[in-house]
Amino acid sequence: MAEKPKKPQKLRARLPRGLADRGPAELAATRAMVETIRAVYERYGFEPVETPAFEFTDALGKFLPDQDRPNEGVFSFQDDDEQWISLRYDLTAPLARYVAENFDQLPKPYRSYRNGYVYRNEKPGPGRFRQFMQFDADTVGSASPAADAEMCMMAADAMEALGIPRGSYVVKVNNRKVLDGVMESIGLGGEENAGRRLTVLRAIDKLDKFGLGEVARLLGPGRLDESGDLTDGANLSDEQIGVVLTYVQGGDKITVEFEARDRVRERPRVTVNIDTGHGSPPVDDPGAPFDYYDNESRVERMRRTLADNALYHAGLDELAEISRLCASSGYSQHQISVDPSVVRGLEYYTGPVYEAELTFTVSDDKGQPIQFGSVGGGGRYDGLVGRFMAENTPATGFSIGVSRLLAALRALQGPEAPRPLGPVVVLVLDRDQIGRSMAQAATLRAAGISAEVYLGASGMKAQMKYADRRKSPCVVIQGSDERDKSEVTLKDLIAGSAAAAAITDRAEWTESRPAQVTVAEERLVEEVRAILSRHE
């Protein structure tokens, strides 16, 4: 007996990890955000450019192919001519390739912006996606600190244009030359110390989260967290740790003493002494204890940390110039702040680095306070364009993480955040009259009003439910009675919902027909505009 053919299995609808679908509300909010950022960038004279989502893998800089399939950090495939191609990891490396390829035709300095999705072949997690949107602006061809200062000012302007009030954000500025000078001074210069240097920089980057005491552990023998997991430290001496923390503290003299370095799993006591001249803040305060200094004073105090390191002082000179230019343009230290703890782009930043950080606190779903922290950053990358050219080309840029910033804005606005309205929905009560409904929708569209005709097969109750789900501000109703009189009935769904909520008696609701009006069909556009104007 022949076997029955197996029924083909239906595919299971599923989304790969680290990716997200986005609905109309999020897309509308993203579009509004992008247009706001674009307007700020264009006011500074930046022009748009678009590069493809794919690049040759070797053009991506730090992710050069070093194995049979170069998939470390990027999504890659081999072309038909056996060349490796990857989805872009960021928007900066493609710009460097574009500038090098079109160098003779571009004005110098070249000022451009672009936005789009970037892709990371990394383990996804909370807030970590494999695809997310960035919005970049870059100046290529200027080595002046004024170009870096401009990036910081533009970042501050973008935050405020997006509705983040002054005092709820700060653009932090540091310099990789300063960081490298500190590393040289404690004997961690050169390629042979690259691993320990990276450990030190990562420890510095944890200052806001852990405070001075725990960063001292990461710089020393290591840190044991609450779960019992050990993070290996950089194994610096107490004296070396003191130099690093004195720098991080902005010039306040710090000395460190460990009770027992060889018993790290017992969490031995670490003593951190701070000589500020203004009293000593708590050791584990994750804030910025040196906030009582303005930018100019911070830079001058930082000069005392290392008296004879040329690279360190060259970086401080650039920070001083950036601070002066920002101040002369009207930006306070609370908007743009020199912060020696900023560590960014260990792979290719060569000078000033900056980070836009949100400082307000919101509550998560469980009522716990959270901070979004960094929503953008950038810096000077003088060596990136030069990878493609015989001559070195200075460049600096700033990138906003659109997806992360959108989540922060929603949290800032809270449940009262405005939701985008959908189209006006023209109902169809008589199937043989759908052409008239389409003519009404066409009239609204011709007047610049978003409108659609209900194209399903349900009755009026279901059509009203559909309009509500579409977030329609109002519906157009024309039954046989209205049609005979060349009239239409308009129902304001937003006002109607509010009015209906206050009515408890069905007879009262039927009698009042809240937020509903019948007008001559020739006044359709006029009356719909009046409804829309009430909800702008």
Side-chain angles (χ1 to χ4, degrees), residues 32 35 57 73 390 407 417 481 513 515 535-536:
E35 289 307 310
T57 303
D481 290 345
R513 295 178 181 269
H535 305 301
E536 289 179 346

Side-chain angles (χ1 to χ4, degrees), residues 46-52 55 59 91-114 137-142 381-396:
F46 288 80
E47 63 181 22
V49 68
E50 182 176 281
T51 59
E55 294 281 342
L91 298 178
T92 307
L95 176 74
R97 187 269 311 157
Y98 172 82
V99 170
E101 197 169 5
N102 299 277
F103 193 79
D104 292 338
Q105 289 76 43
L106 296 175
K108 266 77 73 178
Y110 175 58
R111 303 157 66 85
S112 72
Y113 70 80
R114 64 227 149 273
D138 295 80
T139 297
V140 181
S142 174
Y381 53 96
D382 288 349
L384 200 58
V385 180
R387 293 174 58 244
F388 302 95
M389 304 175 64
E391 58 189 280
N392 194 26
T393 303
T396 188

Side-chain angles (χ1 to χ4, degrees), residues 195-395:
R196 289 183 73 195
R197 195 161 58 239
L198 186 60
T199 303
V200 172
L201 293 174
R202 284 175 173 165
I204 293 172
D205 197 37
K206 296 291 192 297
L207 179 65
D208 283 354
K209 183 178 181 180
F210 291 154
L212 286 169
E214 296 304 290
V215 169
R217 295 181 189 276
L218 290 172
L219 293 172
R223 176 180 181 269
L224 198 70
D225 65 20
E226 292 76 6
S227 68
D229 289 339
L230 177 65
T231 301
D232 291 333
N235 287 311
L236 301 184
S237 68
D238 291 359
E239 183 179 359
Q240 288 173 315
I241 295 172
V243 172
V244 173
L245 293 186
T246 297
Y247 153 74
V248 168
Q249 193 69 4
D252 293 337
K253 178 67 175 177
I254 292 181
T255 56
V256 175
E257 184 178 350
F258 281 87
E259 184 179 54
R261 281 175 168 265
D262 57 343
R263 296 203 299 271
V264 63
R265 287 197 173 276
E266 299 174 18
R267 281 188 62 82
R269 178 179 175 81
V270 54
T271 302
V272 180
N273 300 305
I274 309 174
D275 179 11
T276 66
H278 293 267
S280 296
V283 162
D284 291 319
D285 179 4
F290 54 95
D291 193 44
Y292 35 74
Y293 301 118
D294 60 24
N295 285 330
E296 183 180 359
S297 298
R298 288 180 196 176
V299 172
E300 291 310 308
R301 287 180 63 85
M302 288 167 66
R303 290 190 189 279
R304 307 175 194 172
T305 303
L306 301 175
D308 56 357
N309 187 285
L311 184 61
Y312 180 81
H313 285 275
L316 287 179
D317 289 343
E318 293 176 358
L319 283 178
E321 179 66 1
I322 291 170
S323 300
R324 185 187 69 79
L325 293 170
C326 291
S328 67
S329 297
Y331 294 82
S332 76
Q333 71 193 63
H334 302 294
Q335 293 171 277
I336 300 171
S337 175
V338 171
D339 189 327
S341 69
V342 173
V343 178
R344 287 193 62 84
L346 305 178
E347 292 81 13
Y348 57 64
Y349 287 132
T350 59
V353 289
Y354 12 91
E355 191 160 85
E357 183 177 295
L358 303 184
T359 58
F360 60 85
T361 301
V362 297
S363 297
D364 62 15
D365 295 338
K366 298 179 181 178
Q368 298 297 314
I370 58 172
Q371 275 192 316
F372 279 89
S374 175
V375 292
R380 178 161 290 279
Y381 53 96
D382 288 349
L384 200 58
V385 180
R387 293 174 58 244
F388 302 95
M389 304 175 64
E391 58 189 280
N392 194 26
T393 303

